[in-house]
Amino acid sequence: EGQMNSGTSGNDAGHMLKPGGVCRAMNPCTFKNKNENYLPMFWQHNQKVWVTAILFMEWFHQCFIPEMTKHLEEEGLKFKSY
């Protein structure tokens, strides 16, 4: 009985970000003997499977900003922070 909440993000140009997922368990059985850092999703855990402000900020700083910085560098643009 596992629960999961997931979300994806992209833009009109076709650039897709790494999807995010929130699971109830800290170490789900499906990830046994697998390194979560190499999975194609950004995994987090929360007892109620809610995307809280803390989980969102974690995803934003650990996934969104690095991926957007990399994408903008490939396009020859600079990352602007306000």
Side-chain angles (χ1 to χ4, degrees):
E1 289 187 32
Q3 293 182 353
M4 188 185 114
N5 188 355
S6 65
T8 60
S9 180
N11 64 13
D12 289 340
H15 178 73
M16 292 296 294
L17 292 173
K18 191 177 194 180
V22 180
C23 290
R24 179 178 295 227
M26 186 173 178
N27 296 315
C29 295
T30 53
F31 298 152
K32 190 174 182 178
N33 300 324
K34 292 182 175 69
N35 187 342
E36 293 179 20
N37 296 326
Y38 295 110
L39 293 173
M41 289 186 79
F42 184 77
W43 289 99
Q44 297 170 301
H45 65 91
N46 181 318
Q47 185 64 31
K48 295 188 177 190
V49 195
W50 290 352
V51 179
T52 62
I54 293 170
L55 292 180
F56 176 79
M57 293 304 289
E58 228 176 77
W59 170 83
F60 185 76
H61 290 289
Q62 294 178 16
C63 186
F64 179 80
I65 290 179
E67 285 199 34
M68 286 311 302
T69 303
K70 180 181 170 188
H71 174 69
L72 291 173
E73 284 175 1
E74 290 172 359
E75 297 291 323
L77 302 170
K78 292 173 98 177
F79 184 77
K80 296 179 184 178
S81 60
Y82 297 97

